[in-house]
Amino acid sequence: MQYKRILLKLSGEALMGEQQYGIDAVRLKEYAHEIKQITDKGVEVAIVIGGGNIFRGLAGASSGMDRVQGDHMGMLATVINGLALQSALENEDVPTRLQSAININEVAEPFIRRKAIRHLEKGRVVIFGGGTGNPYFTTDSAAVLRAIEIGADVILKGTRVDGIYTSDPEKDKQATKFDFISFEDVLQKGLKVMDTTAFTLSQENELPIIVFDMNTKGNLLKVVSGEKIGTKVNL
């Protein structure tokens, strides 16, 4: 395997499948199977999942809700998604721990860095819920922060698009895909990979990001094996 320890970032919307909101059980099962394939190969896996399929703090703020309240609701949504993914993984016989940046001791461990690393070393998948535990920070920022804290080799951002393009490929048929691109080029071209805070944090800590299509079966294993899938952002 090309990478020993990875941080997989999934969006909440990815769990919706073909639905308008909520969690698609079929998609959840597919993701659990993909993750099992790489844990069976000895890869240590940590996961950060968004909450946009349930609630977005920004959306709440735009409709008049207090932003801080909205962001806390979004953080709780990521814990709900984390519980769902934990259940799906355990149905595949993958040992899993859910850690939350917000204390919810009845359903998740509190985030403790050393404990998370120990779980990974023992072959358990660690799901980080609750974002960073602070409002105004996205789950992208949480993903990069946790990846740095646990010493991950790479951040794998699983999306429904097979990489980074010159423009939105779903809207622009002339868009071309990058196989490799530097952090600097992403910023100069104004490409949207992650929010600026997360992206800068990744750049400063020399942590590569690979954007790939998580919905194509076998892609996760191919990425971790070192195959040229998606787009790699590096120094």
PDB file of all heavy atoms in Angstrom, residues 4 13 16 22 38 41 51 80-82 96 101 104 116-117 128-129 137 142 147 151 163 166 174 200 231 233:
ATOM      1  N   LYS A   4       0.117   4.346   4.613  1.00  0.00           N
ATOM      2  CA  LYS A   4      -0.101   3.509   5.802  1.00  0.00           C
ATOM      3  C   LYS A   4      -1.274   4.024   6.641  1.00  0.00           C
ATOM      4  O   LYS A   4      -2.077   3.264   7.155  1.00  0.00           O
ATOM      5  CB  LYS A   4       1.184   3.500   6.649  1.00  0.00           C
ATOM      6  CG  LYS A   4       1.070   2.788   7.991  1.00  0.00           C
ATOM      7  CD  LYS A   4       0.787   1.307   7.828  1.00  0.00           C
ATOM      8  CE  LYS A   4       0.733   0.615   9.200  1.00  0.00           C
ATOM      9  NZ  LYS A   4       0.224  -0.762   9.090  1.00  0.00           N
ATOM     10  N   GLU A  13     -23.521  15.236   2.134  1.00  0.00           N
ATOM     11  CA  GLU A  13     -24.367  15.063   0.943  1.00  0.00           C
ATOM     12  C   GLU A  13     -24.112  13.728   0.253  1.00  0.00           C
ATOM     13  O   GLU A  13     -25.003  13.156  -0.364  1.00  0.00           O
ATOM     14  CB  GLU A  13     -24.127  16.201  -0.063  1.00  0.00           C
ATOM     15  CG  GLU A  13     -24.740  17.523   0.354  1.00  0.00           C
ATOM     16  CD  GLU A  13     -23.778  18.373   1.164  1.00  0.00           C
ATOM     17  OE1 GLU A  13     -22.837  17.799   1.753  1.00  0.00           O
ATOM     18  OE2 GLU A  13     -23.977  19.594   1.223  1.00  0.00           O
ATOM     19  N   MET A  16     -26.499  10.949   1.032  1.00  0.00           N
ATOM     20  CA  MET A  16     -27.896  11.054   0.595  1.00  0.00           C
ATOM     21  C   MET A  16     -28.207  10.111  -0.558  1.00  0.00           C
ATOM     22  O   MET A  16     -29.356   9.742  -0.773  1.00  0.00           O
ATOM     23  CB  MET A  16     -28.217  12.488   0.146  1.00  0.00           C
ATOM     24  CG  MET A  16     -28.195  13.506   1.241  1.00  0.00           C
ATOM     25  SD  MET A  16     -28.896  15.106   0.742  1.00  0.00           S
ATOM     26  CE  MET A  16     -27.824  15.594  -0.594  1.00  0.00           C
ATOM     27  N   GLY A  22     -31.187  13.318   4.205  1.00  0.00           N
ATOM     28  CA  GLY A  22     -31.111  12.121   5.037  1.00  0.00           C
ATOM     29  C   GLY A  22     -29.991  11.174   4.615  1.00  0.00           C
ATOM     30  O   GLY A  22     -29.030  11.568   3.955  1.00  0.00           O
ATOM     31  N   ILE A  38      -9.814  -1.643   2.326  1.00  0.00           N
ATOM     32  CA  ILE A  38      -8.474  -1.114   2.621  1.00  0.00           C
ATOM     33  C   ILE A  38      -8.020  -1.442   4.044  1.00  0.00           C
ATOM     34  O   ILE A  38      -6.825  -1.612   4.281  1.00  0.00           O
ATOM     35  CB  ILE A  38      -8.366   0.400   2.337  1.00  0.00           C
ATOM     36  CG1 ILE A  38      -9.288   1.231   3.221  1.00  0.00           C
ATOM     37  CG2 ILE A  38      -8.632   0.695   0.870  1.00  0.00           C
ATOM     38  CD1 ILE A  38      -9.037   2.739   3.106  1.00  0.00           C
ATOM     39  N   LYS A  41      -6.294  -4.637   4.135  1.00  0.00           N
ATOM     40  CA  LYS A  41      -4.918  -4.578   3.614  1.00  0.00           C
ATOM     41  C   LYS A  41      -3.957  -3.981   4.633  1.00  0.00           C
ATOM     42  O   LYS A  41      -2.776  -3.786   4.354  1.00  0.00           O
ATOM     43  CB  LYS A  41      -4.875  -3.721   2.338  1.00  0.00           C
ATOM     44  CG  LYS A  41      -5.723  -4.248   1.198  1.00  0.00           C
ATOM     45  CD  LYS A  41      -5.038  -5.389   0.488  1.00  0.00           C
ATOM     46  CE  LYS A  41      -5.834  -5.794  -0.762  1.00  0.00           C
ATOM     47  NZ  LYS A  41      -5.204  -6.952  -1.439  1.00  0.00           N
ATOM     48  N   GLY A  51     -22.081  17.151   7.626  1.00  0.00           N
ATOM     49  CA  GLY A  51     -23.455  16.994   8.105  1.00  0.00           C
ATOM     50  C   GLY A  51     -24.485  17.651   7.203  1.00  0.00           C
ATOM     51  O   GLY A  51     -25.636  17.834   7.591  1.00  0.00           O
ATOM     52  N   ILE A  80     -24.485  12.342  14.101  1.00  0.00           N
ATOM     53  CA  ILE A  80     -25.519  11.422  13.612  1.00  0.00           C
ATOM     54  C   ILE A  80     -24.981  10.610  12.434  1.00  0.00           C
ATOM     55  O   ILE A  80     -25.120   9.381  12.379  1.00  0.00           O
ATOM     56  CB  ILE A  80     -26.793  12.198  13.194  1.00  0.00           C
ATOM     57  CG1 ILE A  80     -27.464  12.812  14.425  1.00  0.00           C
ATOM     58  CG2 ILE A  80     -27.767  11.291  12.444  1.00  0.00           C
ATOM     59  CD1 ILE A  80     -28.597  13.778  14.102  1.00  0.00           C
ATOM     60  N   ASN A  81     -24.325  11.294  11.480  1.00  0.00           N
ATOM     61  CA  ASN A  81     -23.746  10.594  10.334  1.00  0.00           C
ATOM     62  C   ASN A  81     -22.647   9.632  10.769  1.00  0.00           C
ATOM     63  O   ASN A  81     -22.500   8.537  10.217  1.00  0.00           O
ATOM     64  CB  ASN A  81     -23.187  11.597   9.326  1.00  0.00           C
ATOM     65  CG  ASN A  81     -24.269  12.268   8.511  1.00  0.00           C
ATOM     66  OD1 ASN A  81     -25.377  11.753   8.381  1.00  0.00           O
ATOM     67  ND2 ASN A  81     -23.955  13.427   7.950  1.00  0.00           N
ATOM     68  N   GLY A  82     -21.866  10.056  11.764  1.00  0.00           N
ATOM     69  CA  GLY A  82     -20.810   9.195  12.292  1.00  0.00           C
ATOM     70  C   GLY A  82     -21.361   7.925  12.903  1.00  0.00           C
ATOM     71  O   GLY A  82     -20.819   6.828  12.699  1.00  0.00           O
ATOM     72  N   THR A  96     -14.633  -0.282  15.058  1.00  0.00           N
ATOM     73  CA  THR A  96     -14.761   1.163  14.840  1.00  0.00           C
ATOM     74  C   THR A  96     -14.918   1.909  16.165  1.00  0.00           C
ATOM     75  O   THR A  96     -15.525   1.382  17.107  1.00  0.00           O
ATOM     76  CB  THR A  96     -16.011   1.451  13.962  1.00  0.00           C
ATOM     77  OG1 THR A  96     -16.002   0.589  12.840  1.00  0.00           O
ATOM     78  CG2 THR A  96     -16.036   2.880  13.493  1.00  0.00           C
ATOM     79  N   ALA A 101     -15.848  15.886  19.039  1.00  0.00           N
ATOM     80  CA  ALA A 101     -15.255  17.105  19.599  1.00  0.00           C
ATOM     81  C   ALA A 101     -16.198  17.767  20.594  1.00  0.00           C
ATOM     82  O   ALA A 101     -15.790  18.613  21.388  1.00  0.00           O
ATOM     83  CB  ALA A 101     -14.922  18.078  18.461  1.00  0.00           C
ATOM     84  N   ILE A 104     -20.441  13.968  24.108  1.00  0.00           N
ATOM     85  CA  ILE A 104     -21.720  13.237  24.126  1.00  0.00           C
ATOM     86  C   ILE A 104     -21.358  11.830  24.585  1.00  0.00           C
ATOM     87  O   ILE A 104     -21.347  10.879  23.803  1.00  0.00           O
ATOM     88  CB  ILE A 104     -22.392  13.192  22.727  1.00  0.00           C
ATOM     89  CG1 ILE A 104     -22.299  14.538  22.018  1.00  0.00           C
ATOM     90  CG2 ILE A 104     -23.856  12.778  22.845  1.00  0.00           C
ATOM     91  CD1 ILE A 104     -22.839  14.536  20.604  1.00  0.00           C
ATOM     92  N   ALA A 116      -6.922   8.220  19.995  1.00  0.00           N
ATOM     93  CA  ALA A 116      -7.254   8.019  18.586  1.00  0.00           C
ATOM     94  C   ALA A 116      -6.119   7.280  17.871  1.00  0.00           C
ATOM     95  O   ALA A 116      -6.349   6.338  17.104  1.00  0.00           O
ATOM     96  CB  ALA A 116      -7.518   9.362  17.919  1.00  0.00           C
ATOM     97  N   ILE A 117      -4.878   7.717  18.127  1.00  0.00           N
ATOM     98  CA  ILE A 117      -3.718   7.073  17.496  1.00  0.00           C
ATOM     99  C   ILE A 117      -3.603   5.624  17.936  1.00  0.00           C
ATOM    100  O   ILE A 117      -3.309   4.729  17.134  1.00  0.00           O
ATOM    101  CB  ILE A 117      -2.422   7.867  17.821  1.00  0.00           C
ATOM    102  CG1 ILE A 117      -2.465   9.232  17.128  1.00  0.00           C
ATOM    103  CG2 ILE A 117      -1.182   7.083  17.406  1.00  0.00           C
ATOM    104  CD1 ILE A 117      -1.369  10.194  17.555  1.00  0.00           C
ATOM    105  N   PHE A 128     -14.224  10.759  13.328  1.00  0.00           N
ATOM    106  CA  PHE A 128     -14.215  11.992  14.108  1.00  0.00           C
ATOM    107  C   PHE A 128     -15.488  12.781  13.818  1.00  0.00           C
ATOM    108  O   PHE A 128     -15.706  13.231  12.690  1.00  0.00           O
ATOM    109  CB  PHE A 128     -12.996  12.850  13.751  1.00  0.00           C
ATOM    110  CG  PHE A 128     -11.672  12.204  14.093  1.00  0.00           C
ATOM    111  CD1 PHE A 128     -10.747  11.912  13.096  1.00  0.00           C
ATOM    112  CD2 PHE A 128     -11.351  11.891  15.400  1.00  0.00           C
ATOM    113  CE1 PHE A 128      -9.525  11.331  13.397  1.00  0.00           C
ATOM    114  CE2 PHE A 128     -10.139  11.289  15.722  1.00  0.00           C
ATOM    115  CZ  PHE A 128      -9.221  11.014  14.713  1.00  0.00           C
ATOM    116  N   GLY A 129     -16.332  12.951  14.818  1.00  0.00           N
ATOM    117  CA  GLY A 129     -17.567  13.712  14.680  1.00  0.00           C
ATOM    118  C   GLY A 129     -17.468  15.045  15.410  1.00  0.00           C
ATOM    119  O   GLY A 129     -16.527  15.305  16.155  1.00  0.00           O
ATOM    120  N   PHE A 137     -16.019  26.996  11.802  1.00  0.00           N
ATOM    121  CA  PHE A 137     -15.031  26.134  11.161  1.00  0.00           C
ATOM    122  C   PHE A 137     -15.752  24.978  10.468  1.00  0.00           C
ATOM    123  O   PHE A 137     -16.613  24.330  11.058  1.00  0.00           O
ATOM    124  CB  PHE A 137     -14.026  25.581  12.186  1.00  0.00           C
ATOM    125  CG  PHE A 137     -13.070  26.616  12.697  1.00  0.00           C
ATOM    126  CD1 PHE A 137     -13.376  27.348  13.837  1.00  0.00           C
ATOM    127  CD2 PHE A 137     -11.877  26.875  12.036  1.00  0.00           C
ATOM    128  CE1 PHE A 137     -12.502  28.318  14.315  1.00  0.00           C
ATOM    129  CE2 PHE A 137     -10.995  27.846  12.506  1.00  0.00           C
ATOM    130  CZ  PHE A 137     -11.308  28.567  13.650  1.00  0.00           C
ATOM    131  N   ALA A 142     -11.816  20.613  10.031  1.00  0.00           N
ATOM    132  CA  ALA A 142     -11.721  19.527  11.008  1.00  0.00           C
ATOM    133  C   ALA A 142     -10.906  18.367  10.437  1.00  0.00           C
ATOM    134  O   ALA A 142     -10.077  17.768  11.135  1.00  0.00           O
ATOM    135  CB  ALA A 142     -13.116  19.051  11.405  1.00  0.00           C
ATOM    136  N   ALA A 147      -6.138  15.186  10.664  1.00  0.00           N
ATOM    137  CA  ALA A 147      -5.107  14.482   9.884  1.00  0.00           C
ATOM    138  C   ALA A 147      -3.710  14.835  10.386  1.00  0.00           C
ATOM    139  O   ALA A 147      -2.842  13.963  10.529  1.00  0.00           O
ATOM    140  CB  ALA A 147      -5.242  14.828   8.405  1.00  0.00           C
ATOM    141  N   GLY A 151      -1.061  12.353  12.462  1.00  0.00           N
ATOM    142  CA  GLY A 151       0.084  12.026  11.615  1.00  0.00           C
ATOM    143  C   GLY A 151      -0.287  11.242  10.367  1.00  0.00           C
ATOM    144  O   GLY A 151       0.444  10.328   9.963  1.00  0.00           O
ATOM    145  N   GLY A 163     -12.018  14.291  -9.620  1.00  0.00           N
ATOM    146  CA  GLY A 163     -10.809  15.083  -9.474  1.00  0.00           C
ATOM    147  C   GLY A 163     -11.083  16.569  -9.494  1.00  0.00           C
ATOM    148  O   GLY A 163     -12.222  17.008  -9.350  1.00  0.00           O
ATOM    149  N   THR A 166     -10.645  22.510 -14.278  1.00  0.00           N
ATOM    150  CA  THR A 166     -10.458  23.950 -14.502  1.00  0.00           C
ATOM    151  C   THR A 166     -11.717  24.731 -14.146  1.00  0.00           C
ATOM    152  O   THR A 166     -11.653  25.898 -13.779  1.00  0.00           O
ATOM    153  CB  THR A 166     -10.090  24.219 -15.974  1.00  0.00           C
ATOM    154  OG1 THR A 166     -11.033  23.543 -16.824  1.00  0.00           O
ATOM    155  CG2 THR A 166      -8.681  23.711 -16.283  1.00  0.00           C
ATOM    156  N   GLN A 174     -16.392  21.839 -21.324  1.00  0.00           N
ATOM    157  CA  GLN A 174     -15.028  22.079 -21.785  1.00  0.00           C
ATOM    158  C   GLN A 174     -13.999  21.989 -20.641  1.00  0.00           C
ATOM    159  O   GLN A 174     -12.803  22.137 -20.875  1.00  0.00           O
ATOM    160  CB  GLN A 174     -14.933  23.477 -22.422  1.00  0.00           C
ATOM    161  CG  GLN A 174     -15.911  23.725 -23.562  1.00  0.00           C
ATOM    162  CD  GLN A 174     -15.734  22.735 -24.697  1.00  0.00           C
ATOM    163  OE1 GLN A 174     -14.627  22.457 -25.119  1.00  0.00           O
ATOM    164  NE2 GLN A 174     -16.848  22.194 -25.183  1.00  0.00           N
ATOM    165  N   THR A 200      -5.077  26.143   3.525  1.00  0.00           N
ATOM    166  CA  THR A 200      -3.837  26.778   3.982  1.00  0.00           C
ATOM    167  C   THR A 200      -3.169  25.939   5.063  1.00  0.00           C
ATOM    168  O   THR A 200      -1.941  25.775   5.079  1.00  0.00           O
ATOM    169  CB  THR A 200      -4.119  28.197   4.523  1.00  0.00           C
ATOM    170  OG1 THR A 200      -4.805  28.946   3.517  1.00  0.00           O
ATOM    171  CG2 THR A 200      -2.841  28.907   4.898  1.00  0.00           C
ATOM    172  N   THR A 231      -7.175  13.657  -8.528  1.00  0.00           N
ATOM    173  CA  THR A 231      -6.172  14.721  -8.627  1.00  0.00           C
ATOM    174  C   THR A 231      -5.412  14.827  -7.310  1.00  0.00           C
ATOM    175  O   THR A 231      -6.024  14.897  -6.248  1.00  0.00           O
ATOM    176  CB  THR A 231      -6.840  16.086  -8.912  1.00  0.00           C
ATOM    177  OG1 THR A 231      -7.580  16.000 -10.137  1.00  0.00           O
ATOM    178  CG2 THR A 231      -5.799  17.189  -9.039  1.00  0.00           C
ATOM    179  N   VAL A 233      -3.023  17.028  -4.927  1.00  0.00           N
ATOM    180  CA  VAL A 233      -2.522  18.369  -4.634  1.00  0.00           C
ATOM    181  C   VAL A 233      -1.323  18.222  -3.714  1.00  0.00           C
ATOM    182  O   VAL A 233      -1.415  17.648  -2.630  1.00  0.00           O
ATOM    183  CB  VAL A 233      -3.605  19.243  -3.942  1.00  0.00           C
ATOM    184  CG1 VAL A 233      -3.092  20.672  -3.766  1.00  0.00           C
ATOM    185  CG2 VAL A 233      -4.906  19.235  -4.726  1.00  0.00           C
TER     186      VAL A 233
END
